[in-house]
Amino acid sequence: MRIGLISDTHSFLDEKVAKYFSDCDEIWHAGDVGQYEVINQLKKIAPVRAVYGNIDGPEIRNEFPEIDYFNCEGLSVYMIHIGGTPPKYAKGVLKDLEDKRPKLFICGHSHILKIMPDKNLENMLYMNPGAAGNHGFHKVKTLVRFEILSGKIINAEVIELGLRERA
């Protein structure tokens, strides 16, 4: 299963996303989608799984949950927009992670790309794809692409789309 991971588009989808996600089986959006048109554009590339973020309105919130806990190819995944960073998780998130024990924890919100293990949570992998939109303080728009095979993450790649355009 090949996954394209994106977050914090804030109503903007770089045209290069289609190129990088064209061979993905699914696209996961970790919140702050912005306008629903971003989801429509992503759905033209591959099926979309998403969570809503703090800027997302009723259209996004009616289709996608705040938290998505699921299993993909034998890998347990927990995705939320505002999650914090190991070991400083957002309020309530640490307890949920301790209870559910996912192997992959995905969040967005910070606009800071970071992938790291949290050894305190049975080697759970933390993944934040950074921000792919133009809104925010980040300098470079980023994505993550990876594969899941028999419950393991393989071939993970960080993709830089280029400098954030200033409004």
Side-chain angles (χ1 to χ4, degrees), residues 74-128:
L75 181 76
S76 56
V77 181
Y78 184 107
M79 185 164 60
I80 187 171
H81 179 60
I82 300 175
T85 304
K88 295 182 179 181
Y89 292 100
K91 186 176 181 176
V93 171
L94 179 59
K95 181 176 181 340
D96 225 11
L97 294 175
E98 288 172 339
D99 290 346
K100 292 185 172 29
R101 299 287 180 183
K103 290 300 177 189
L104 176 60
F105 174 62
I106 295 171
C107 66
H109 189 63
S110 70
H111 292 222
I112 299 169
L113 186 143
K114 186 179 280 192
I115 300 172
M116 64 182 283
D118 184 335
K119 296 189 189 314
N120 294 324
L121 291 172
E122 296 179 21
N123 295 315
M124 177 191 76
L125 184 64
Y126 169 90
M127 200 178 276
N128 184 325

Side-chain angles (χ1 to χ4, degrees), residues 13-82:
L13 191 66
D14 191 300
E15 61 188 27
K16 290 181 260 182
V17 171
K19 170 187 156 191
Y20 290 112
F21 286 177
S22 66
D23 62 347
C24 290
D25 298 301
E26 290 185 357
I27 297 170
W28 298 351
H29 196 302
D32 276 3
V33 174
Q35 296 297 315
Y36 195 86
E37 181 55 29
V38 170
I39 295 295
N40 287 333
Q41 291 172 2
L42 291 172
K43 284 180 176 180
K44 290 176 185 174
I45 304 166
V48 174
R49 177 184 289 273
V51 293
Y52 68 77
N54 53 296
I55 70 147
D56 292 321
E59 195 170 14
I60 303 289
R61 290 172 186 245
N62 287 336
E63 183 169 346
F64 301 107
E66 178 184 13
I67 298 168
D68 197 358
Y69 179 69
F70 58 98
N71 190 291
C72 182
E73 300 291 316
L75 181 76
S76 56
V77 181
Y78 184 107
M79 185 164 60
I80 187 171
H81 179 60
I82 300 175

